[in-house]
Amino acid sequence: MFPTHRPRRLRTHPQLRRMVRETVLTTSDLIYPLFAVPGEGIANEVKSMPGVYQLSVDKIVEEAKEVYDLGIPSIILFGIPADKDVDATGAWHDCGIVQKAATAVKAAVPDLIVIADTCLCEYTSHGHCGYLQVGDLTGRVLNDPTLELLKKTAVSQAKAGADIIAPSGMMDGFVQAIRQGLDEAGFQDTPILSYAAKYASGYYGPFRDAADSTPQFGDRRTYQMDPGNAREAIKEIELDIAEGADMLMVKPALAYMDIIWRVKEASNLPVAAYNVSGEYAMVKAAALNGWIDEERVVMETLTGFKRAGADLILTYHAKDAARWLK
């Protein structure tokens, strides 16, 4: 009882606070997302995401070198192709934009871990994550035919040099299909980071500007999870683990810290949290208006993800966070 117990004793000095800190964020926790586009010398800033750019492959390589020099161990690549079609050809073609970017980055920065986002929405003419029933304007994706596209995409990305395959389409059985495809192609050692609990969220808006992936009609609620569901997330991760996932992701992160915690408690696999575009954009907008201290808010948020159980954090703040950590 007071005055015997005085918790403030351990808060009296910055070094003492550092010594007893329970959760410590490091650059090794961070993954930086990058958007690859065709062309050369291109750096188009995404209007809704200040400081984030669509980059041609040569600029992606420059960015990858900077990321590595900052001590960030990994990037994740998203692609915006020149042309789109119903077969998502740009996703799985050997000359696809992500394939080109992965090969170039691995040649320039061999020790940087390259994760390939394995989804189809950026590459389909309708903006959905797979095949649609002809004439269907609801956005209901045909699950099993789409698995074949995802399998081809994953193998193509691995051939191009991707170190980790990250399927994000939330198709039933997608981890098993991709694992089978990778193994048959000789990529038994390529891990799968599954977007195991990906919610149909309003926080994705700026990403769709960056990746040019807004659905032309309907929405993605028939395959992404309902924001009100938590038990379903555990069901999804259990299925993905059984199908061969090596790591699990929760997306978004900020409104889903309880899900990060539940997934961490229910699994012994590494857990990633995706600090998504809308979360980033809100912080940047408030900071640019002088309403918040950007560094304090970002570092507090990223630490919160880790405290909730995230082993890895995908964030557009990664470069800034790495500088602040140094």
Side-chain angles (χ1 to χ4, degrees):
M1 295 177 63
F2 180 82
T4 304
H5 296 287
R6 292 179 179 264
R8 288 181 58 189
R9 290 178 183 136
L10 299 182
R11 304 173 195 154
T12 56
H13 192 279
Q15 296 289 28
L16 183 54
R17 292 194 295 272
R18 186 165 65 91
M19 289 168 61
V20 299
R21 187 167 295 146
E22 298 172 28
T23 304
V24 179
L25 183 73
T26 74
T27 55
S28 297
D29 304 321
L30 305 175
I31 298 169
Y32 189 52
L34 289 170
F35 298 94
V37 295
E40 188 173 348
I42 295 173
N44 298 324
E45 187 170 25
V46 181
K47 291 183 179 179
S48 55
M49 300 177 69
V52 174
Y53 295 81
Q54 296 174 333
L55 301 169
S56 53
V57 171
D58 56 316
K59 294 291 186 179
I60 290 274
V61 170
E62 292 177 11
E63 197 81 349
K65 291 177 180 177
E66 181 182 358
V67 166
Y68 183 74
D69 289 342
L70 286 168
I72 299 168
S74 179
I75 60 171
I76 182 167
L77 293 173
F78 298 89
I80 302 97
D83 299 299
K84 305 186 180 195
D85 56 42
V86 294
D87 293 315
T89 305
W92 49 264
H93 197 281
D94 289 343
C95 293
I97 187 61
V98 163
Q99 287 78 355
K100 289 181 178 179
T103 300
V105 169
K106 291 306 292 185
V109 197
D111 289 336
L112 185 68
I113 296 296
V114 173
I115 303 171
D117 177 76
T118 307
C119 196
L120 307 173
C121 59
E122 300 103 309
Y123 307 93
T124 55
S125 50
H126 45 68
H128 283 283
C129 299
Y131 283 124
L132 299 181
Q133 184 72 43
V134 175
D136 186 353
L137 298 181
T138 67
R140 184 180 178 87
V141 173
L142 298 174
N143 193 92
D144 294 7
T146 296
L147 297 182
E148 294 303 311
L149 287 180
L150 291 172
K151 184 190 298 187
K152 287 202 298 183
T153 300
V155 171
S156 176
Q157 291 170 339
K159 286 180 179 178
D163 298 291
I164 297 172
I165 299 300
S168 60
M170 288 298 289
M171 295 296 111
D172 294 340
F174 69 161
V175 172
Q176 179 175 305
I178 288 170
R179 183 74 273 158
Q180 180 184 5
L182 291 171
D183 289 354
E184 289 175 351
F187 295 103
Q188 295 90 343
D189 294 330
T190 300
I192 295 175
L193 166 57
S194 174
Y195 287 65
K198 181 179 179 180
Y199 286 83
S201 172
Y203 283 98
Y204 300 151
F207 174 91
R208 291 173 182 171
D209 292 340
D212 189 24
S213 62
T214 303
Q216 297 300 304
F217 48 83
D219 56 43
R220 296 183 176 136
R221 298 183 191 189
T222 66
Y223 43 104
Q224 295 176 357
M225 291 173 54
D226 189 290
N229 293 356
R231 293 192 304 270
E232 185 182 12
I234 304 307
K235 177 181 180 180
E236 288 282 2
I237 70 155
E238 288 174 347
L239 290 170
D240 285 5
I241 292 169
E243 292 174 19
D246 300 283
M247 295 178 280
L248 306 167
M249 191 189 300
V250 176
K251 180 182 181 181
L254 191 60
Y256 297 87
M257 287 202 193
D258 62 316
I259 306 301
I260 298 170
W261 175 260
R262 286 174 183 245
V263 170
K264 185 67 173 180
E265 290 293 293
S267 166
N268 58 7
L269 296 184
V271 176
Y274 201 142
N275 180 207
V276 299
S277 59
E279 299 165 10
Y280 172 87
M282 290 190 301
V283 170
K284 295 297 287 189
L288 289 169
N289 277 285
W291 297 336
I292 60 170
D293 181 327
E294 182 177 1
E295 179 179 344
R296 285 192 65 183
V297 168
V298 169
M299 299 305 282
E300 183 177 344
T301 301
L302 298 182
T303 300
F305 298 148
K306 191 167 182 184
R307 190 182 65 247
D311 301 291
L312 302 167
I313 303 168
L314 293 82
T315 178
Y316 305 96
H317 296 292
K319 290 198 302 180
D320 287 336
R323 294 187 186 102
W324 294 328
L325 285 167
K326 287 187 175 183

